């Protein structure tokens, strides 16, 4: 597993934990940053991802809700919700990651961490975001 893949997984852990515990991800992130050198410390890319998702979460959730036909954000499995937020942020707001890599990484994490239907769902929704990217950023 590459360094960025591990960092994405750690970012997913933070976003998922905050969602499940009903706490502010900003506070959880601050707790993780405050504990360097421990098993809960985060690589810089994880911090960048979590901060980016938090900063753009309203826009990301609006896009996901609009394009996830028949699914609300709240109805999605929590892991999928966090993966889709990360993938959408990487596609739309992080020029350092090629779109195909963002989609592939999200699908692989869905395959290993979520339901049997999740990889196809994540792939389809992020693929739609990629297709619409030029109009979404206009």
């Amino acid at each position: 597993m590459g360094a960025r893949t591990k960092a994405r997984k750690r970012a997913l852990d933070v976003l998922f934990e905050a969602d499940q515990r009903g706490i502010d991800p900003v506070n959880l992130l601050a707790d993780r940053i405050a504990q360097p050198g421990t098993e809960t410390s985060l690589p810089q890319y994880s911090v960048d991802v979590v901060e980016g998702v938090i900063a753009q979460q309203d826009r990301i959730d609006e896009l996901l809700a609009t394009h996830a036909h028949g699914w609300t954000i709240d109805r999605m499995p929590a892991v999928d919700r966090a993966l889709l937020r990360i993938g959408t942020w990487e596609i739309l707001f992080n020029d350092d990651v090629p779109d195909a890599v963002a989609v592939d990484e999200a699908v692989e994490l869905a395959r290993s961490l979520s339901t049997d239907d999740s990889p196809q769902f994540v792939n389809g929704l992020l693929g739609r975001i990629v297709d619409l990217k030029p109009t979404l950023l206009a």
Side-chain angles (χ1 to χ4, degrees):
M1 187 181 291
R4 281 241 169 138
T5 301
K6 289 177 185 175
R8 277 183 197 89
K9 168 68 172 74
R10 297 299 301 275
L12 172 68
D13 293 343
V14 170
L15 293 170
F16 175 80
E17 181 181 347
D19 188 29
Q20 290 301 292
R21 292 176 58 198
I23 60 176
D24 184 359
V26 173
N27 293 335
L28 184 58
L29 179 62
D31 289 346
R32 297 296 187 261
I33 294 170
Q35 299 174 24
T38 67
E39 63 186 38
T40 60
S41 65
L42 297 173
Q44 184 58 49
Y45 189 67
S46 297
V47 174
D48 296 344
V49 169
V50 172
E51 288 176 342
V53 168
I54 292 166
Q56 299 293 335
Q57 186 165 332
D58 290 341
R59 176 77 171 126
I60 290 168
D61 284 357
E62 173 191 333
L63 292 169
L64 293 175
T66 299
H67 299 290
H69 301 290
W71 287 83
T72 63
I73 295 291
D74 293 335
R75 188 171 162 232
M76 294 175 190
V79 171
D80 295 1
R81 186 170 45 242
L83 283 171
L84 288 164
R85 287 173 175 157
I86 291 168
T88 301
W89 177 79
E90 285 188 319
I91 291 164
L92 297 178
F93 304 105
N94 186 356
D95 295 333
D96 292 341
V97 177
D99 296 345
V101 171
V103 174
D104 288 346
E105 291 283 335
V107 168
E108 284 306 311
L109 285 168
R111 185 170 284 118
S112 64
L113 300 172
S114 197
T115 70
D116 290 342
D117 296 329
S118 293
Q120 184 177 4
F121 177 69
V122 168
N123 186 57
L125 187 47
L126 290 180
R128 182 77 175 132
I129 298 295
V130 169
D131 291 345
L132 295 171
K133 182 177 179 176
T135 59
L136 297 174
L137 295 177

